[in-house]
Amino acid sequence: MMNLFYGKKSIVVELGNKYTKCGIAGECQPRALIPSRFKSCDGQLIIPDKLGHSSININTWEEILLDLFTKIFYRYTICSPKDRNIFISESLMLPIPFKRTICKILFTHFLVESIVFVPSMALSLFPLELSSGLVIDSGFSDTRILPIFEGAVILKCAQFINIGEKHVFERILDVLRTYPSISKNADRVITKYMELRLSLKEVIQNVEELPEEVDLSELVHLEEDEHFDESTLQDIKVKFCYVKGFETIPNYENINVDEYTFDTTENIEYKLPSNRILHINENVRKYPYDIMFGWLDEEESLCVKILECLRKCPIDTRKILANNIVITGGNTMVPGFKQRIIAELKHYIQLPDYQDLIGLQGFFNIKPSPFPENILSWVGGSIIASLDFEDACINRESYIENPYIPIPDWVDSFVQLY
């Protein structure tokens, strides 16, 4: 496979359940983030729960992927794919039929030179210059934990939690419905003054004569069947949510939470697209992420799964893995997330159930990343795509001779990089 300095640069594509990222090998960030919302030929909107795992048939996926890669090559990266190498950063368990569909489209429609499939979690180590680490990837649909030791993926020790960003969104809605959060009479006043772009407090100050029956301070509950679109929930999560401290850890509240400070004593006003005023209270800000730390089921707690993963790993690898925890995925980009993990791990390891891991006390450490967590794996792919990777690639000549050629095992090829 041609490297960065000879011939055409490779195109790097990361397929995600929420976004597809694309760019050119050697660059420090993707050129585009494309929402994973697709349209079939008949115009039907398709939002897959997990890429490649949905009930969508292969023929429909072929139409969708053809349109997706056309946009990637000619709209976002603005380069011809012919005779180029395509580097695919994939989900850990992407189905083989889905991979074959990708190969068919890229080789027959776009005439690419070669294709490489590598799991995104393994790529997260390269920007941090690590050969060993415990990778925690929390995305839109689920959370995965994968140990990698000296380039070898210990797949039998991997852990999975069916909790991701979409479940945090559901939790935000649940908390909003629990507490009165909508101004009952604000619509009648805000509509009149919305062209002035005033906040609720400014409206109150500027309105000299309000009918006595209009009480702007009165709040009511959201309707049970009321839902917000995903972009609104995303905006609320990014702007207001954080992971609250683990109460059983002394002086946790004194820890600097990613240099963020929070004023949680007052409600925060948030203007919805419908011009209604939503009041974000402290509970809406700090409770949604409890779902990832055993709020519904302690066995589904992220920290419990981390310890279970370490317990299954060979004993001589545990300290190195615990000392090189790598956090990746857009769902982890919230203040207090990393601190909560370390605090809970230090607490759980002292319990009788985890006495066999007591030797890890003092070794837990999350590696700081020079890149945002949501693009960390793509950057790793950008680095690897700049290197010689012939043994793991599928070239066009081999595919034309045999369309059912076995896809190279990424576990073996990943070890060869070290």
Side-chain angles (χ1 to χ4, degrees):
M1 180 176 179
M2 297 181 183
N3 61 27
L4 175 64
F5 303 103
Y6 299 96
K8 298 180 179 180
K9 295 182 181 180
S10 301
I11 297 175
V12 183
V13 178
E14 180 178 339
L15 300 173
N17 291 327
K18 187 175 182 181
Y19 291 105
T20 295
K21 308 176 184 71
C22 61
I24 305 298
E27 297 181 346
C28 62
Q29 64 182 18
R31 293 191 177 185
L33 276 71
I34 309 168
S36 297
R37 295 170 176 267
F38 310 108
K39 279 189 177 181
S40 60
C41 289
D42 58 2
Q44 181 182 1
L45 181 64
I46 299 174
I47 307 175
D49 182 48
K50 289 186 179 180
L51 207 61
H53 287 271
S54 66
S55 58
I56 305 171
N57 61 54
I58 292 297
N59 292 332
T60 303
W61 271 123
E62 188 172 336
E63 298 171 1
I64 291 172
L65 290 173
L66 178 59
D67 179 65
L68 174 64
F69 281 108
T70 299
K71 291 178 179 177
I72 288 174
F73 297 140
Y74 300 114
R75 179 183 299 180
Y76 298 111
T77 58
I78 316 178
C79 58
S80 172
K82 186 178 180 180
D83 297 328
R84 282 186 185 265
N85 306 303
I86 309 300
F87 191 95
I88 305 291
S89 173
E90 54 163 333
S91 173
L92 188 63
M93 297 298 180
L94 197 66
I96 294 296
F98 189 76
K99 292 183 183 181
R100 294 198 181 282
T101 304
I102 293 175
C103 291
K104 177 182 178 181
I105 290 171
L106 292 178
F107 283 130
T108 60
H109 289 275
F110 297 104
L111 303 178
V112 303
E113 178 66 24
S114 64
I115 304 172
V116 180
F117 291 96
V118 178
S120 59
M121 294 181 69
L123 296 172
S124 301
L125 296 181
F126 284 88
L128 307 182
E129 300 180 354
L130 296 174
S131 60
S132 301
L134 187 67
V135 183
I136 302 170
D137 180 9
S138 184
F140 183 69
S141 301
D142 53 18
T143 300
R144 300 164 294 277
I145 305 168
L146 181 69
I148 302 173
F149 186 77
E150 294 300 329
V153 177
I154 314 177
L155 191 58
K156 67 177 183 179
C157 303
Q159 297 288 314
F160 302 89
I161 310 173
N162 290 321
I163 298 176
E165 187 179 44
K166 68 177 183 179
H167 302 93
V168 174
F169 290 164
E170 293 171 2
R171 179 73 175 134
I172 290 174
L173 269 178
D174 290 341
V175 179
L176 284 172
R177 292 193 182 103
T178 302
Y179 302 93
S181 53
I182 289 287
S183 295
K184 181 178 180 180
N185 298 307
D187 291 350
R188 296 160 58 185
V189 180
I190 293 294
T191 302
K192 180 178 179 181
Y193 292 92
M194 65 181 182
E195 294 183 358
L196 300 177
R197 301 184 182 275
L198 301 176
S199 69
L200 181 59
K201 291 182 179 179
E202 290 172 326
V203 168
I204 296 174
Q205 295 170 356
N206 284 275
V207 177
E208 298 179 356
E209 297 182 358
L210 280 176
E212 295 182 359
E213 67 273 11
V214 177
D215 182 8
L216 291 177
S217 63
E218 184 179 357
L219 302 179
V220 295
H221 290 270
L222 287 173
E223 297 293 337
E224 285 296 327
D225 59 347
E226 185 167 4
H227 291 81
F228 300 141
D229 58 35
E230 189 177 292
S231 60
T232 299
L233 293 171
Q234 173 80 12
D235 198 40
I236 292 173
K237 190 205 79 168
V238 170
K239 289 182 177 179
F240 306 119
C241 289
Y242 66 97
V243 180
K244 67 186 183 70
F246 188 48
E247 290 81 3
T248 60
I249 302 299
N251 301 321
Y252 179 91
E253 298 300 337
N254 295 328
I255 295 177
N256 183 14
V257 184
D258 286 351
E259 299 183 354
Y260 283 82
T261 57
F262 302 99
D263 179 12
T264 57
T265 58
E266 296 183 0
N267 289 353
I268 300 173
E269 296 168 5
Y270 179 82
K271 187 177 179 181
L272 297 170
S274 61
N275 294 318
R276 292 189 300 168
I277 301 299
L278 184 67
H279 292 258
I280 309 292
N281 63 27
E282 179 183 2
N283 298 312
V284 177
R285 302 177 67 193
K286 71 179 183 180
Y287 284 137
Y289 268 87
D290 279 358
I291 195 172
M292 296 196 65
F293 295 93
W295 177 76
L296 291 176
D297 183 359
E298 187 173 351
E299 293 183 358
E300 289 294 305
S301 169
L302 175 58
C303 294
V304 169
K305 289 293 186 179
I306 292 173
L307 293 176
E308 290 296 331
C309 177
L310 290 170
R311 176 179 277 165
K312 291 182 178 181
C313 291
I315 192 170
D316 56 338
T317 67
R318 293 174 183 173
K319 287 185 178 179
I320 295 177
L321 294 174
N323 194 49
N324 293 285
I325 299 175
V326 177
I327 304 292
T328 182
N331 193 40
T332 66
M333 299 177 65
V334 58
F337 187 86
K338 299 175 183 178
Q339 286 81 356
R340 175 69 177 266
I341 289 177
I342 294 298
E344 283 205 13
L345 288 175
K346 290 179 179 179
H347 167 73
Y348 278 118
I349 205 170
Q350 299 177 21
L351 300 179
D353 292 344
Y354 299 101
Q355 284 303 300
D356 56 327
L357 298 176
I358 192 65
L360 299 180
Q361 191 169 6
F363 282 89
F364 292 113
N365 176 54
I366 296 178
K367 288 293 184 181
S369 170
F371 300 96
E373 286 80 0
N374 62 337
I375 66 168
L376 184 62
S377 57
W378 187 92
V379 173
S382 177
I383 295 171
I384 296 300
S386 305
L387 307 176
D388 189 1
F389 213 49
E390 289 185 5
D391 294 335
C393 73
I394 309 170
N395 58 58
R396 187 170 67 228
E397 291 77 10
S398 300
Y399 180 83
I400 296 301
E401 292 177 4
N402 178 18
Y404 295 96
I405 183 174
I407 296 176
D409 189 346
W410 55 261
V411 176
D412 294 335
S413 60
F414 187 70
V415 175
Q416 295 172 11
L417 293 173
Y418 293 92

Coordinates of all heavy atoms in Angstrom, one line a residue, residues 175-223:
V175 N -36.1 13.5 33.4 CA -35.9 14.5 34.5 C -36.7 15.7 34.2 O -37.3 16.3 35.1 CB -34.4 14.8 34.7 CG1 -34.2 15.8 35.8 CG2 -33.6 13.5 35.0
L176 N -36.7 16.2 32.9 CA -37.5 17.4 32.6 C -39.0 17.2 32.9 O -39.7 18.1 33.3 CB -37.3 17.7 31.1 CG -36.0 18.4 30.8 CD1 -35.8 18.5 29.2 CD2 -35.8 19.8 31.4
R177 N -39.5 16.0 32.7 CA -40.9 15.7 32.9 C -41.1 15.6 34.4 O -42.3 15.8 34.9 CB -41.3 14.4 32.3 CG -41.3 14.5 30.7 CD -42.0 13.3 30.1 NE -42.0 13.3 28.7 CZ -41.2 12.6 27.9 NH1 -40.4 11.7 28.5 NH2 -41.3 12.7 26.6
T178 N -40.1 15.2 35.2 CA -40.3 15.1 36.7 C -40.5 16.4 37.4 O -41.3 16.5 38.3 CB -39.1 14.4 37.3 OG1 -38.9 13.1 36.6 CG2 -39.3 14.1 38.8
Y179 N -39.8 17.4 36.9 CA -39.9 18.7 37.6 C -40.6 19.8 36.6 O -40.4 19.7 35.4 CB -38.5 19.2 37.9 CG -37.7 18.3 38.8 CD1 -36.9 17.4 38.2 CD2 -37.9 18.4 40.2 CE1 -36.2 16.5 39.0 CE2 -37.2 17.5 41.0 CZ -36.3 16.6 40.4 OH -35.6 15.7 41.2
P180 N -41.4 20.7 37.2 CA -42.0 21.7 36.4 C -40.9 22.5 35.7 O -40.0 23.0 36.3 CB -42.7 22.6 37.4 CG -42.9 21.7 38.6 CD -41.8 20.8 38.6
S181 N -40.9 22.6 34.4 CA -39.8 23.2 33.6 C -40.2 24.1 32.5 O -39.4 24.7 31.8 CB -38.9 22.1 33.1 OG -39.6 21.2 32.4
I182 N -41.5 24.3 32.2 CA -42.0 25.1 31.1 C -42.8 26.3 31.7 O -43.6 26.1 32.5 CB -42.9 24.3 30.1 CG1 -42.1 23.4 29.4 CG2 -43.6 25.3 29.2 CD1 -41.2 24.0 28.3
S183 N -42.4 27.5 31.2 CA -43.2 28.7 31.7 C -44.6 28.6 31.1 O -44.8 28.6 29.9 CB -42.5 30.0 31.1 OG -41.3 30.2 31.7
K184 N -45.6 28.6 32.0 CA -47.0 28.4 31.6 C -47.5 29.5 30.7 O -48.1 29.3 29.7 CB -47.8 28.3 32.9 CG -49.3 28.1 32.6 CD -50.1 28.0 33.9 CE -51.6 27.7 33.6 NZ -52.3 27.6 34.9
N185 N -47.2 30.8 31.0 CA -47.8 31.9 30.3 C -46.8 32.7 29.5 O -47.1 33.7 28.9 CB -48.4 32.9 31.3 CG -49.6 32.2 32.1 OD1 -50.5 31.7 31.5 ND2 -49.5 32.3 33.4
A186 N -45.6 32.2 29.4 CA -44.5 32.9 28.7 C -44.8 33.1 27.2 O -44.4 34.1 26.6 CB -43.2 32.3 28.9
D187 N -45.4 32.1 26.6 CA -45.7 32.1 25.2 C -46.4 33.4 24.7 O -46.1 34.0 23.7 CB -46.4 30.9 24.7 CG -45.6 29.6 24.8 OD1 -44.4 29.8 25.1 OD2 -46.2 28.5 24.7
R188 N -47.4 33.8 25.5 CA -48.2 34.9 25.2 C -47.4 36.2 25.2 O -47.8 37.1 24.4 CB -49.4 35.0 26.2 CG -50.3 33.8 26.1 CD -51.1 33.7 27.4 NE -51.9 34.9 27.7 CZ -52.6 35.0 28.8 NH1 -52.6 34.1 29.7 NH2 -53.3 36.1 29.0
V189 N -46.4 36.3 26.0 CA -45.6 37.5 26.1 C -44.4 37.4 25.1 O -44.1 38.4 24.4 CB -45.2 37.8 27.5 CG1 -44.3 39.1 27.6 CG2 -46.4 37.9 28.4
I190 N -43.7 36.3 25.1 CA -42.5 36.1 24.3 C -42.8 36.3 22.9 O -42.0 36.9 22.1 CB -41.9 34.7 24.6 CG1 -41.4 34.6 26.0 CG2 -40.8 34.5 23.6 CD1 -40.2 35.6 26.3
T191 N -43.9 35.8 22.4 CA -44.2 35.9 20.9 C -44.3 37.3 20.5 O -43.8 37.6 19.4 CB -45.6 35.2 20.7 OG1 -45.6 33.8 21.1 CG2 -45.9 35.3 19.2
K192 N -44.8 38.2 21.3 CA -44.9 39.6 21.0 C -43.5 40.2 20.9 O -43.3 41.2 20.1 CB -45.7 40.3 22.0 CG -45.9 41.8 21.7 CD -46.8 42.4 22.8 CE -47.0 43.9 22.6 NZ -47.9 44.5 23.6
Y193 N -42.6 39.8 21.7 CA -41.3 40.4 21.8 C -40.1 39.6 21.2 O -39.0 40.0 21.4 CB -41.0 40.8 23.3 CG -41.9 41.8 23.8 CD1 -43.1 41.5 24.5 CD2 -41.6 43.2 23.7 CE1 -43.9 42.4 25.0 CE2 -42.5 44.2 24.2 CZ -43.6 43.8 24.8 OH -44.5 44.7 25.3
M194 N -40.4 38.5 20.6 CA -39.3 37.6 20.2 C -38.4 38.3 19.1 O -37.2 38.0 19.0 CB -39.8 36.3 19.7 CG -40.6 36.3 18.4 SD -41.2 34.7 18.0 CE -42.1 35.0 16.5
E195 N -39.0 39.2 18.3 CA -38.2 39.9 17.3 C -37.1 40.8 17.9 O -36.2 41.1 17.3 CB -39.1 40.7 16.4 CG -40.1 39.9 15.6 CD -40.9 40.7 14.6 OE1 -40.8 41.9 14.7 OE2 -41.7 40.1 13.9
L196 N -37.4 41.2 19.2 CA -36.4 42.0 19.9 C -35.2 41.2 20.4 O -34.2 41.7 20.9 CB -37.0 42.7 21.0 CG -38.2 43.7 20.6 CD1 -38.8 44.3 21.9 CD2 -37.7 44.8 19.7
R197 N -35.3 39.8 20.3 CA -34.3 38.9 20.8 C -34.0 39.1 22.3 O -32.8 39.2 22.7 CB -33.0 39.0 20.0 CG -33.3 38.7 18.5 CD -32.0 38.7 17.7 NE -32.2 38.5 16.3 CZ -32.3 37.3 15.8 NH1 -32.2 36.2 16.5 NH2 -32.5 37.1 14.5
L198 N -35.0 39.3 23.1 CA -34.8 39.5 24.5 C -35.0 38.2 25.3 O -35.8 37.3 24.9 CB -35.9 40.5 25.0 CG -35.9 41.9 24.4 CD1 -37.0 42.7 24.9 CD2 -34.5 42.6 24.6
S199 N -34.3 38.1 26.4 CA -34.5 36.9 27.3 C -35.7 37.1 28.1 O -36.4 38.2 28.1 CB -33.3 36.8 28.2 OG -33.3 37.8 29.2
L200 N -36.1 36.1 28.8 CA -37.4 36.2 29.6 C -37.3 37.3 30.7 O -38.2 38.1 30.8 CB -37.6 34.8 30.3 CG -38.9 34.8 31.2 CD1 -40.1 35.1 30.4 CD2 -39.0 33.4 31.8
K201 N -36.1 37.4 31.3 CA -36.0 38.5 32.3 C -36.0 39.8 31.7 O -36.6 40.8 32.2 CB -34.6 38.3 33.1 CG -34.6 37.0 34.0 CD -33.3 36.9 34.7 CE -33.3 35.7 35.6 NZ -32.0 35.6 36.3
E202 N -35.4 40.0 30.5 CA -35.4 41.3 29.8 C -36.9 41.6 29.4 O -37.3 42.8 29.4 CB -34.5 41.3 28.6 CG -33.0 41.2 29.0 CD -32.1 41.0 27.8 OE1 -32.6 40.2 26.9 OE2 -31.0 41.5 27.8
V203 N -37.6 40.6 29.0 CA -39.0 40.9 28.6 C -39.8 41.4 29.8 O -40.5 42.4 29.7 CB -39.7 39.6 28.0 CG1 -41.2 39.8 27.9 CG2 -39.1 39.2 26.7
I204 N -39.6 40.8 30.9 CA -40.3 41.2 32.1 C -40.0 42.7 32.5 O -40.8 43.5 32.9 CB -40.0 40.3 33.3 CG1 -40.5 38.9 33.0 CG2 -40.6 40.8 34.6 CD1 -40.1 37.8 34.0
Q205 N -38.7 43.0 32.3 CA -38.3 44.4 32.6 C -38.8 45.4 31.6 O -39.0 46.5 32.0 CB -36.7 44.4 32.6 CG -36.1 43.6 33.8 CD -34.6 43.5 33.6 OE1 -34.0 44.0 32.7 NE2 -34.0 42.8 34.6
N206 N -39.0 44.9 30.4 CA -39.4 45.9 29.3 C -40.9 46.0 29.1 O -41.4 46.9 28.5 CB -38.8 45.5 28.0 CG -37.3 45.8 27.9 OD1 -36.9 47.0 27.6 ND2 -36.5 44.9 28.3
V207 N -41.7 45.1 29.7 CA -43.1 45.1 29.6 C -43.7 45.9 30.7 O -43.6 45.5 31.9 CB -43.7 43.7 29.6 CG1 -45.2 43.8 29.5 CG2 -43.2 42.9 28.4
E208 N -44.2 47.1 30.4 CA -44.7 48.0 31.5 C -46.1 47.5 32.0 O -46.3 47.6 33.2 CB -44.8 49.4 31.0 CG -43.4 50.0 30.6 CD -43.5 51.4 30.1 OE1 -44.6 51.9 29.9 OE2 -42.5 52.0 29.7
E209 N -46.9 47.1 31.1 CA -48.3 46.8 31.5 C -48.6 45.3 31.1 O -48.8 45.1 29.9 CB -49.3 47.7 30.9 CG -49.1 49.2 31.3 CD -50.2 50.1 30.7 OE1 -51.0 49.5 29.9 OE2 -50.2 51.3 31.0
L210 N -48.5 44.4 32.0 CA -48.9 43.0 31.8 C -50.2 42.8 32.5 O -50.5 43.3 33.6 CB -47.8 42.1 32.4 CG -46.5 41.9 31.6 CD1 -45.6 41.0 32.4 CD2 -46.9 41.2 30.3
P211 N -51.1 42.0 31.8 CA -52.3 41.6 32.5 C -52.0 41.0 33.8 O -51.0 40.2 33.9 CB -53.0 40.7 31.5 CG -52.3 41.0 30.2 CD -51.0 41.4 30.5
E212 N -52.8 41.2 34.8 CA -52.5 40.7 36.2 C -52.6 39.2 36.2 O -51.9 38.5 37.0 CB -53.5 41.3 37.2 CG -53.4 42.8 37.4 CD -54.3 43.3 38.4 OE1 -55.1 42.4 38.9 OE2 -54.3 44.5 38.7
E213 N -53.4 38.6 35.3 CA -53.5 37.1 35.3 C -52.3 36.4 34.7 O -52.2 35.2 34.8 CB -54.8 36.7 34.6 CG -54.8 36.9 33.1 CD -55.3 38.3 32.8 OE1 -55.4 39.2 33.7 OE2 -55.6 38.6 31.6
V214 N -51.4 37.2 34.0 CA -50.3 36.5 33.4 C -49.1 36.5 34.4 O -48.6 37.5 34.8 CB -49.8 37.3 32.1 CG1 -48.6 36.7 31.5 CG2 -50.9 37.4 31.1
D215 N -48.8 35.2 34.8 CA -47.7 35.0 35.8 C -46.6 34.3 35.1 O -46.7 33.1 34.8 CB -48.3 34.2 37.0 CG -47.2 34.0 38.0 OD1 -46.1 34.6 37.9 OD2 -47.4 33.2 39.0
L216 N -45.5 35.0 34.8 CA -44.4 34.4 34.1 C -43.6 33.5 34.9 O -42.8 32.7 34.4 CB -43.5 35.5 33.5 CG -44.2 36.4 32.4 CD1 -43.2 37.5 32.0 CD2 -44.5 35.5 31.2
S217 N -43.7 33.6 36.2 CA -42.9 32.7 37.1 C -43.5 31.3 37.3 O -42.9 30.4 37.9 CB -42.7 33.4 38.4 OG -44.0 33.6 39.1
E218 N -44.7 31.1 36.9 CA -45.4 29.9 37.1 C -44.9 28.8 36.1 O -45.0 29.1 34.9 CB -46.9 30.0 37.0 CG -47.7 28.7 37.3 CD -49.2 28.9 37.3 OE1 -49.6 30.1 37.0 OE2 -49.9 27.9 37.4
L219 N -44.5 27.7 36.6 CA -44.0 26.6 35.7 C -44.9 25.4 35.8 O -45.5 25.1 36.8 CB -42.6 26.2 36.2 CG -41.5 27.3 36.2 CD1 -40.2 26.7 36.7 CD2 -41.3 27.9 34.9
V220 N -44.9 24.7 34.6 CA -45.8 23.5 34.5 C -44.9 22.4 34.0 O -43.8 22.6 33.5 CB -47.0 23.7 33.6 CG1 -47.9 24.8 34.2 CG2 -46.5 24.1 32.2
H221 N -45.4 21.1 34.1 CA -44.7 20.0 33.7 C -44.8 19.8 32.2 O -45.8 20.3 31.5 CB -45.3 18.7 34.3 CG -45.0 18.6 35.8 ND1 -43.8 18.0 36.3 CD2 -45.6 19.0 36.9 CE1 -43.8 18.0 37.6 NE2 -44.9 18.7 38.0
L222 N -43.8 19.2 31.6 CA -43.9 18.8 30.2 C -45.0 17.7 30.0 O -45.3 16.9 30.9 CB -42.6 18.2 29.7 CG -41.4 19.2 29.5 CD1 -40.1 18.4 29.2 CD2 -41.7 20.1 28.3
E223 N -45.6 17.7 28.8 CA -46.6 16.7 28.5 C -45.9 15.4 28.4 O -44.7 15.3 27.9 CB -47.3 17.0 27.2 CG -48.1 18.3 27.3 CD -49.3 18.2 28.3 OE1 -49.8 17.1 28.5 OE2 -49.8 19.3 28.7

